[in-house]
Amino acid sequence: MGVVNVNKQNSKYRWVVFASVLFAYFIIVSQRTAPGLISDQLMKDFNMTASMIGLLTSIQFLAYAGLQIPIGILSDRFGPNYFLIFGTLLNGVGTFIYSIAPNEYILLVARLLVGMGDAAIWVNLVLILSIWFKVNEFVGLLGLAGMTGSFGFLLATVPFSKWISDFGWRPPFLTTGVILCFIGILLYFILVKIPQRHAENELKAKVKAVKRRENTVVLLRRIFSNRQAWATFCCHFGAVGTYVGFIGSWAVPYGMHVFGMSRSGASQLIMVGLIGAIIGAPAGSWISGRLHSIKRPYIAFHVMICLSWTAFLLFSGKPPYFLLNILFFLIGFGNGASALTFAVVRQSFPMKEVGVVSGFANTGGFISAVLLPSIFGKVLDHYHAAPSSVGYHYGFIIPVIFTLVGFMGGLLIKEQRQEMRQTELGTN
């Protein structure tokens, strides 16, 4: 695959690939949190319980987390293009079904389809960038991809909310589902049909690769015993799960119950975190490039995130308002900088393993995102008779512990010399 990759990495067409893949990612990410805007309407329209609303959210992220490693293995073996296309189409179909669902059971199936489709996106995005771009371009482009994801989350706040307010909840989801299906078709032409002039060379490379395929059990055993793979898992566990888990579940109730904010006022805390993530993704990549190191800045970012969560503990769950906004910004910044996890993967593993290790690392982040809201909720239930700040005070111990896991992951990273890896990976 070396010759094919070099040709792709020197072509101007790679920027068309980059733009189209990022646009798909932008729309797909918006649909991770957009259903949260209509929870009250779903409860009213379908007479649903809060538990059912929670199940709608959790089934999507559980499907996402559970499929990361299988998707990584399959993408490494058969290439990322069709998996990215299929994931986008599955997202579109799931979102479309969601928009016309007659009952809560169809809603549940729709969110399961969306979670399954979403599971195929990031890992294959990383693989496609690995194939089309050189190692020295890769870190910066990952930062832009991370920023694009944050803009996707931003789309699912005020703009999508306004759309729902003006037209009801069904038309926006129906339109988004149709758009995603069209994007999937467009990706087929951009990723498969147009580059067909390389097909013969790629086919020969794949035929050779088949002979070198490793037994899946042996591959997984080696990955699960690899220090660098666990370092990336822990880094993502600490940086991503604490942000996504808290922002997506308890941030708004925290602002309302502890600070007496309105719902819209508390939502601004999420906006502050999103702005931090938008800045953190390219800034983290830029700092890493300037220092010619991934490990040093990444450790610093994990320290920053851990200290930010610790500040909530030191102020008994209620820091001064000006500091509150700074803390949300810093936590969001650290989440944006978590794109460095996949820069470590790209730098440390041969191309034939980048997909499965990326999936393994990404699993860490979303396991954390599933665990944190649940454990945090149990702490709040335990202190339900006490003032609100007491429950949140003790609840903040959880993200502190989780971010310590991320910090340990940063320490475990074994940095590779960039020049040596470029030479080595270019031969794979």
Side-chain angles (χ1 to χ4, degrees):
M1 284 179 66
V3 175
V4 178
N5 285 350
V6 168
N7 291 339
K8 287 182 175 179
Q9 291 169 3
N10 289 322
S11 70
K12 292 182 180 179
Y13 185 72
R14 72 192 193 278
W15 297 109
V16 175
V17 172
F18 180 67
S20 59
V21 168
L22 253 62
F23 181 64
Y25 182 57
F26 167 71
I27 301 295
I28 287 166
V29 167
S30 74
Q31 295 309 296
R32 289 181 184 173
T33 54
L37 298 172
I38 59 169
S39 295
D40 55 340
Q41 291 172 269
L42 293 179
M43 293 176 75
K44 180 181 177 182
D45 292 352
F46 297 100
N47 196 27
M48 294 171 64
T49 63
S51 298
M52 188 64 178
I53 293 291
L55 181 59
L56 281 175
T57 302
S58 62
I59 196 168
Q60 178 181 347
F61 287 118
L62 285 172
Y64 183 102
L67 288 173
Q68 286 301 287
I69 293 175
I71 289 291
I73 293 171
L74 292 171
S75 299
D76 279 335
R77 291 200 169 187
F78 302 107
N81 294 336
Y82 282 106
F83 285 100
L84 184 71
I85 293 164
F86 181 72
T88 304
L89 290 172
L90 200 57
N91 249 279
V93 171
T95 304
F96 179 83
I97 293 174
Y98 192 79
S99 72
I100 61 172
N103 56 58
E104 63 267 33
Y105 302 108
I106 301 300
L107 287 174
L108 198 64
V109 171
R111 296 319 293 172
L112 177 62
L113 292 176
V114 169
M116 292 169 65
D118 197 3
I121 304 304
W122 178 257
V123 170
N124 288 293
L125 184 150
V126 170
L127 274 171
I128 286 170
L129 295 188
S130 298
I131 292 169
W132 283 88
F133 292 90
K134 300 170 185 174
V135 175
N136 60 345
E137 298 172 319
F138 184 76
V139 176
L141 295 179
L142 267 185
L144 290 177
M147 183 174 69
T148 301
S150 297
F151 275 118
F153 282 119
L154 198 61
L155 177 65
T157 55
V158 176
F160 212 80
S161 180
K162 182 70 166 59
W163 193 4
I164 291 169
S165 298
D166 290 344
F167 297 96
W169 69 271
R170 290 187 185 272
F173 284 96
L174 187 147
T175 305
T176 305
V178 172
I179 289 172
L180 282 170
C181 289
F182 275 114
I183 292 173
I185 295 169
L186 179 65
L187 286 173
Y188 171 72
F189 285 95
I190 290 174
L191 296 176
V192 178
K193 292 294 289 183
I194 294 176
Q196 268 188 339
R197 61 182 177 272
H198 298 298
E200 186 177 338
N201 287 336
E202 289 183 356
L203 183 60
K204 291 177 181 177
K206 287 179 181 178
V207 170
K208 292 179 182 178
V210 169
K211 297 177 182 178
R212 296 195 303 269
R213 277 182 189 170
E214 189 174 7
N215 181 277
T216 301
V217 174
V218 174
L219 171 64
L220 289 176
R221 187 181 297 129
R222 191 174 71 255
I223 297 299
F224 290 156
S225 62
N226 187 289
R227 163 180 161 173
Q228 197 82 326
W230 279 105
T232 60
F233 179 98
C234 292
C235 282
H236 229 52
F237 183 94
V240 173
T242 50
Y243 171 83
V244 174
F246 187 75
I247 289 289
S249 60
W250 296 112
V252 170
Y254 169 69
M256 294 172 67
H257 297 155
V258 177
F259 287 88
M261 299 177 178
S262 65
R263 186 175 298 275
S264 60
S267 297
Q268 291 179 13
L269 294 175
I270 297 177
M271 294 287 286
V272 171
L274 284 171
I275 291 169
I278 289 168
I279 296 172
S285 297
W286 181 80
I287 292 169
S288 175
R290 295 285 291 180
L291 295 177
H292 302 290
S293 169
I294 299 174
K295 179 174 182 173
R296 284 182 290 156
Y298 208 8
I299 289 176
F301 294 142
H302 278 289
V303 170
M304 177 188 74
I305 300 168
C306 187
L307 290 177
S308 297
W309 286 114
T310 303
F312 284 98
L313 282 178
L314 295 178
F315 286 96
S316 300
K318 192 176 181 180
Y321 184 75
F322 79 92
L323 181 59
L324 179 70
N325 284 276
I326 293 172
L327 293 175
F328 268 85
F329 176 85
L330 292 176
I331 291 166
F333 187 99
N335 175 73
S338 68
L340 291 177
T341 295
F342 303 97
V344 173
V345 173
R346 176 68 175 89
Q347 189 189 74
S348 306
F349 293 88
M351 273 296 300
K352 63 183 180 179
E353 295 176 2
V354 166
V356 65
V357 182
S358 295
F360 181 62
N362 214 18
T363 300
F366 281 86
I367 286 176
S368 178
V370 170
L371 288 176
L372 186 139
S374 176
I375 302 173
F376 207 109
K378 289 185 181 300
V379 173
L380 293 179
D381 285 342
H382 184 75
Y383 291 97
H384 70 278
S388 296
S389 60
V390 174
Y392 282 97
H393 175 210
Y394 289 104
F396 285 124
I397 294 173
I398 301 158
V400 170
I401 293 172
F402 280 21
T403 52
L404 285 173
V405 174
F407 172 69
M408 292 301 297
L411 293 178
L412 283 173
I413 292 172
K414 185 177 181 182
E415 189 122 60
Q416 308 285 328
R417 284 188 60 189
Q418 192 79 1
E419 319 81 56
M420 290 174 63
R421 290 304 296 165
Q422 278 184 285
T423 302
E424 179 184 338
L425 292 172
T427 63
N428 290 325

